[in-house]
Amino acid sequence: MATAGGGSASDPASWSLRFLSFCVLLAGLCRGNSVERKIYISLNKTAPCVRLLNATHQIGCQSSVSGDTGILHVVEKEEDLQWVLTDGPNPPYVVLLEGALFTRSLMEKLKGTAGRIAGLAVSLAKPRPTPGSSPSMKCPNDGFGIYSNSYGPEFAHCREIPWNNLGDSLAYEDFSFPIFLLEDENETRVIKQCYRDHNLSPNGSAPAFPLCAMQLFSHMHAVVSTVTCMRRSSIQSTFSINPEIVCDPLSDYNVWSMLKPINMSAALEPDDRVVVAATRLDSRSFFWNVAPGAESAAASFVTQLAAAEALQKAPDALTLPRNVMFVFFQGETFDYIGSSRMVYDMEKGKFPVQLENIDSFVELGQVALRNSLELWMHTDPMSQKNESVHNQVEALLSTLEKSGAGVPAVVLRRPAQSQPLPPSSLQRFLRARNISGVVLADHATIFHNRYYQSIYDTAENIHVSYPEWQSPEEDLNFVTDTAKALADVATVLGRALYRLAGGTNFSDTIQADPQTVTRLLYGFLVRANNSWFQSFLRQDLRSYLGDGPLQHYIAVSSPTNTTYVVQYALANLTGQVVDLPREQCQDPSKVPSENKDLYEYAWVQGPLSANETSRLPRCVRSTARLARALSPAFELRQWGSTEYSTWTESRWKDIRARIFLVASRELEFVTLTVGFGVLAFSLIVTYCINAKADVLFLAPREPGAVSY
C-alpha cells in the first residue's frame, strides 16, 4: 500500500540507509575506545603510595584531582637528576627512578623542587640495595610501647638502642606528588624504550617534540589528620543520605586458638592459668599493599604455626595443668593495633581470657636471620624491679634454656639484664599488668634485618631459594636450610610451652616438622596458590590465593588474605577432621555431640583424590578463631588519642598510570586555534543555510489523489 508520503516501506534506498546507520552504530560500540588505546599505554602492574593519617598528621602521597602529567625522564644515577631539577626546558617532569636511588636524601631534593616534579615512578632494584633499605623509623612504634618519659625514661624513644638503625623514616613523610612502584619489568622496559625513542637527545640538547610523557592518578580524599577526616566522615554520615566517607580506620582480625578448648560464652575462672605464645602477622612498606615482610613477620608466624602443630601432637596435650593460647596479632606495625585491642577487650571483659589468667608470655620476634646458633631472650628490666616478677621471669628463662638444651642447632642467650625490650606486642601487655614475659629474637641489640618494612624483605632476604630445574610442586615440598633452622626454633618453642603449661613427660618428644615449615614459607613468600594451601581453605576463599606471595599489609577491608590463610593453616595443623557432612559442618548446632561454644567448624576443600582430578572435601574442627583488631580509639571515638593507635587510610576513586606522546605547546595552540576556527565557520554556514532555507529547499508537493 502506498504511504501518505509517497514512499514505500520496502524501498531499497531506505533499507540501505538504515543498514548503513546500523553498521556505523555497531562499529562505534565495538571500537569506541580504539582511539584511546592508540594514544595511551596503560600500566597495569603498579603499586601507589597512598595517604595515611594519625592523630596529628598525614603521611604518604597523592596527585591532583585530574592526575599529574609530566615529561618522562629516566634517572639511573644521581647526576641525571640535574636535568629534572634545573636544566630541563620542559617541566614538569615525571621521574623514572632506579630502585637503588630511592633514598631519603634524594627524595628530599625532589620534594624541595616546587613546580618541576609532577610525579615519580620507582623501578625495583635488582639486585636489591646491598647496604640495606628500610623506610621505617629507627624506633618503631615510638610512644606506644611501655617506655615513656615517665616510665623507664632512659629507654624511651630508643635512646639506648636504635633497634632499626638503618631506618630513614621515608615511609612516614608527606609528599605532594604521586609516587608509584613499577612491579613489572616488561612495563619498565616499555617506558624506558619510549624515553629513549623520544626524550633522549645527544649532547644534552633539548629533545624535539613529540615527547614521551607519563600521567599518574592517585588523588586522596582525606587530609590533615585522623581527627579531621573522621570528623568529616561522621558529619557526612549524620546529615547526608549518601555520605561520602573520606577515610577508614586500619583494621583487621587477630587469629588465636587454645591448646585445650574453652567455652566462648563465659570467661575463664580467675585461677585458670594460661601461657600465651604470640607473634605478629603484618608488615608494610612505602607502597600500598606491598608488604612481603619475610623476616619482619612471615618467618615468625610460620615458626609459631609449626610450634602449635608440634605441641598439639603431644600425647598429654589436652590434660596439661595450664592451657596455652596461640595469638597472631594484626596491625602491630601501626602502633600495636592488634595487641592493644586484645588488652582492651581483656580489661573490659569482652574476651574469654582475662589479664589475670596469663601465667607467662612468650613472643617470637624476628627469628630468621640468626648469624650463628644464638637466639636471644629479651626481657623488660622495669617490671623486674618487682621481686615476684623477677623470680617469675628467671623461672621462664630457665625453662626456655632447658627446652633448648636438646636442640643443638639453637643456643639461647640472655642479653644484659639492664637492656630494654625491642618493639614487641609484650610491651602493650606490660602497660596493663606486670607479667612474666620474654621476646625471642635473632638479634641481641639492633635488628639483623637490613630491609625492615621494605619492599625487599622478601624470601631472598631470609635465604629461601630453590633449584631452578624444579617444578612449583617440587618447590613446595623442597626443605630449605631456612626451613630446617626455623623448625629447630619451633621445636624449642613447642618444648618450652609444654613445660610452661606444666608438662613433664613428653617434652623431648615434641618435634616441629621441617616439611610443614617449608610448605608454609613457600606459600606465604613465593606462591600462595599451591595445592597445599588450596586443600585447607574453603571453596569460596580460593580467590584469596594469588600466583605470587601474599602481602601482609593490614588494610581496611578485612579479613585480609593473610588473616584467612593463617586461621585455616592453624585450624588444619592443630584441629581434627570430623565425620560430618557439609550441612552439619556448617551448622553443627544440629549435632548433639558437637559444641560450637568450644570449637570452630570449617568445610574445606581437602586434599586431591588419588587420580588428582578432584578434591576430597572434609570438615575440620578446631579452636582457631578471629578476634577484632580495631584500635580502641575508634570504638571510644577518641580520634586524637595518644594511648591507642589512630591510623586511618584515605579513600580514593581512581588509581592508575599511563604513558603517551605529547606535542609541543605551539602545536597544541595551533590545533586549538584551528579547532575554534572550524567551529566558528560551521556556525556561520549553518546560520546562512538556515536563513535561506525557503530558497534552497523546495517544499514537498501535496500528495495527489490516489486511484484504486
Side-chain angles (χ1 to χ4, degrees):
M1 181 184 293
T3 63
S8 170
S10 59
D11 184 0
S14 175
W15 184 90
S16 299
L17 181 62
R18 292 176 184 176
F19 179 74
L20 181 61
S21 301
F22 173 77
C23 290
V24 171
L25 178 61
L26 184 62
L29 291 174
C30 294
R31 299 188 57 82
N33 64 345
S34 61
V35 174
E36 181 180 357
R37 291 202 305 269
K38 290 178 180 178
I39 295 175
Y40 300 105
I41 298 177
S42 296
L43 306 175
N44 299 316
K45 292 189 177 181
T46 60
C49 160
V50 304
R51 174 164 290 165
L52 299 170
L53 310 99
N54 66 8
T56 56
H57 61 287
Q58 64 185 29
I59 63 173
C61 323
Q62 78 156 352
S63 72
S64 61
V65 176
S66 57
D68 290 333
T69 303
I71 304 300
L72 183 66
H73 188 75
V74 175
V75 175
E76 295 179 332
K77 54 184 183 298
E78 195 162 345
E79 293 75 19
D80 297 338
L81 206 61
Q82 190 67 26
W83 181 267
V84 175
L85 300 180
T86 57
D87 297 346
N90 302 302
Y93 289 94
V94 171
V95 176
L96 173 53
L97 188 67
E98 291 295 322
L101 297 177
F102 188 55
T103 60
R104 185 182 181 90
S105 60
L106 189 142
M107 289 302 296
E108 286 177 346
K109 293 180 181 179
L110 295 178
K111 191 176 181 180
T113 309
R116 294 191 64 88
I117 301 297
L120 186 67
V122 182
S123 64
L124 283 169
K126 291 191 176 182
R128 58 200 175 129
T130 305
S133 173
S134 175
S136 184
M137 297 183 288
K138 292 184 183 296
C139 189
N141 292 350
D142 187 22
F144 289 86
I146 189 174
Y147 306 116
S148 66
N149 292 332
S150 59
Y151 184 91
E154 65 272 28
F155 307 133
H157 314 300
C158 299
R159 289 191 180 105
E160 183 171 301
I161 302 174
W163 295 100
N164 183 35
N165 69 321
L166 292 177
D168 59 14
S169 300
L170 186 61
Y172 293 86
E173 291 290 319
D174 184 43
F175 296 91
S176 58
F177 51 83
I179 303 176
F180 279 60
L181 175 68
L182 303 175
E183 299 183 277
D184 190 323
E185 290 185 31
N186 293 327
E187 289 187 345
T188 303
R189 280 195 290 268
V190 169
I191 298 170
K192 288 184 176 181
Q193 188 61 48
C194 183
Y195 167 78
R196 285 191 291 266
D197 292 344
H198 299 280
N199 296 10
L200 193 60
S201 58
N203 304 321
S205 59
F209 285 92
L211 298 177
C212 188
M214 181 179 284
Q215 190 172 29
L216 304 175
F217 297 85
S218 63
H219 181 66
M220 301 287 123
H221 293 176
V223 293
V224 183
S225 68
T226 290
V227 176
T228 301
C229 81
M230 290 299 292
R231 184 177 65 245
R232 290 178 180 176
S233 297
S234 179
I235 293 173
Q236 284 275 340
S237 300
T238 303
F239 296 104
S240 176
I241 297 175
N242 297 309
E244 184 174 348
I245 308 301
V246 297
C247 70
D248 300 285
L250 293 181
S251 65
D252 198 1
Y253 288 84
N254 298 323
V255 180
W256 67 284
S257 73
M258 302 297 294
L259 180 64
K260 297 184 290 185
I262 60 173
N263 193 333
M264 289 294 296
S265 61
L268 294 180
E269 295 297 326
D271 57 348
D272 290 335
R273 311 303 294 164
V274 174
V275 178
V276 176
T279 191
R280 66 168 56 187
L281 282 180
D282 68 305
S283 183
R284 70 163 299 198
S285 74
F286 186 90
F287 301 98
W288 181 76
N289 204 32
V290 181
E295 160 73 344
S296 59
S300 304
F301 67 68
V302 162
T303 302
Q304 181 155 299
L305 285 169
E309 179 191 37
L311 180 59
Q312 192 73 42
K313 292 178 178 178
D316 57 344
L318 298 180
T319 59
L320 294 173
R322 289 180 283 277
N323 211 337
V324 178
M325 181 171 77
F326 293 95
V327 189
F328 302 79
F329 291 117
Q330 263 286 13
E332 297 302 272
T333 299
F334 294 95
D335 300 336
Y336 304 119
I337 293 174
S339 56
S340 63
R341 179 54 186 257
M342 181 164 284
V343 171
Y344 175 82
D345 287 344
M346 286 179 172
E347 291 177 322
K348 300 298 180 181
K350 298 179 180 180
F351 194 78
V353 179
Q354 309 297 302
L355 285 172
E356 55 266 25
N357 294 127
I358 298 177
D359 181 78
S360 53
F361 194 107
V362 181
E363 179 174 354
L364 281 182
Q366 299 180 93
V367 294
L369 292 176
R370 288 185 293 140
N371 291 338
S372 61
L373 303 179
E374 295 174 330
L375 189 67
W376 295 88
M377 302 181 292
H378 298 268
T379 58
D380 170 45
M382 297 300 296
S383 59
Q384 290 188 70
K385 292 180 179 179
N386 181 305
E387 185 177 356
S388 174
V389 173
H390 173 73
N391 293 335
Q392 292 172 8
V393 171
E394 283 295 317
L396 171 59
L397 297 179
S398 297
T399 300
L400 281 164
E401 289 168 339
K402 291 177 184 176
S403 302
V407 185
V410 179
V411 177
L412 291 159
R413 300 291 190 199
R414 302 189 187 195
Q417 192 170 354
S418 60
Q419 185 175 301
L421 280 171
S424 53
S425 305
L426 174 59
Q427 294 198 32
R428 291 300 304 191
F429 283 80
L430 289 173
R431 282 178 68 136
R433 184 183 180 89
N434 276 351
I435 58 177
S436 167
V438 64
V439 177
L440 301 178
D442 55 23
H443 52 89
T445 53
I446 61 175
F447 295 164
H448 288 169
N449 186 6
R450 294 180 290 120
Y451 304 97
Y452 182 73
Q453 293 181 8
S454 164
I455 57 177
Y456 303 109
D457 189 10
T458 59
E460 180 186 2
N461 187 34
I462 61 171
H463 314 299
V464 172
S465 60
Y466 304 91
E468 294 181 0
W469 60 85
Q470 289 188 168
S471 67
E473 194 65 24
E474 289 172 327
D475 287 346
L476 172 65
N477 296 290
F478 180 78
V479 179
T480 63
D481 290 340
T482 300
K484 295 175 184 176
L486 292 180
D488 289 331
V489 176
T491 297
V492 173
L493 177 61
R495 292 179 180 182
L497 295 174
Y498 177 82
R499 289 174 180 267
L500 292 169
T504 57
N505 298 322
F506 301 99
S507 174
D508 293 340
T509 64
I510 294 174
Q511 187 76 38
D513 186 359
Q515 188 77 37
T516 296
V517 177
T518 207
R519 286 178 169 183
L520 289 168
L521 288 175
Y522 180 82
F524 284 110
L525 299 179
V526 181
R527 184 184 176 90
N529 191 16
N530 61 72
S531 59
W532 193 57
F533 273 20
Q534 290 171 7
S535 69
F536 60 66
L537 281 182
R538 301 196 315 253
Q539 174 70 27
D540 60 306
L541 297 178
R542 284 193 61 180
S543 61
Y544 281 64
L545 302 179
D547 289 333
L550 290 177
Q551 302 300 326
H552 309 306
Y553 174 66
I554 179 176
V556 296
S557 57
S558 55
T560 60
N561 304 29
T562 297
T563 302
Y564 267 134
V565 175
V566 168
Q567 180 194 8
Y568 281 90
L570 182 62
N572 180 76
L573 295 173
T574 63
Q576 289 181 315
V577 177
V578 292
D579 187 19
L580 293 177
R582 179 172 184 170
E583 293 74 17
Q584 291 182 347
C585 185
Q586 294 174 338
D587 186 12
S589 58
K590 298 178 181 178
V591 184
S593 60
E594 303 297 335
N595 189 338
K596 195 154 180 141
D597 285 337
L598 296 180
Y599 297 101
E600 286 284 306
Y601 297 80
W603 184 257
V604 301
Q605 294 185 95
L608 288 169
S609 59
N611 56 14
E612 296 190 354
T613 58
S614 60
R615 291 191 172 275
L616 305 173
R618 56 191 185 181
C619 185
V620 175
R621 183 183 68 190
S622 73
T623 61
R625 294 182 172 92
L626 301 180
R628 198 80 172 102
L630 171 67
S631 171
F634 297 101
E635 184 166 305
L636 300 170
R637 297 177 68 86
Q638 296 175 359
W639 304 320
S641 173
T642 57
E643 170 69 15
Y644 298 113
S645 172
T646 55
W647 285 104
T648 54
E649 180 186 274
S650 174
R651 287 195 178 185
W652 59 80
K653 287 186 178 178
D654 191 21
I655 287 184
R656 55 194 171 96
R658 59 189 185 181
I659 60 173
F660 55 96
L661 297 181
V662 294
S664 65
R665 287 189 174 89
E666 291 78 8
L667 181 57
E668 290 176 344
F669 178 76
V670 170
T671 304
L672 181 63
T673 304
V674 171
F676 274 120
V678 171
L679 175 62
F681 177 76
S682 301
L683 292 175
I684 294 171
V685 171
T686 303
Y687 174 78
C688 294
I689 292 175
N690 186 60
K692 300 296 183 179
D694 55 340
V695 177
L696 297 173
F697 305 103
L698 294 177
R701 293 180 300 170
E702 291 294 328
V706 179
S707 60
Y708 295 90

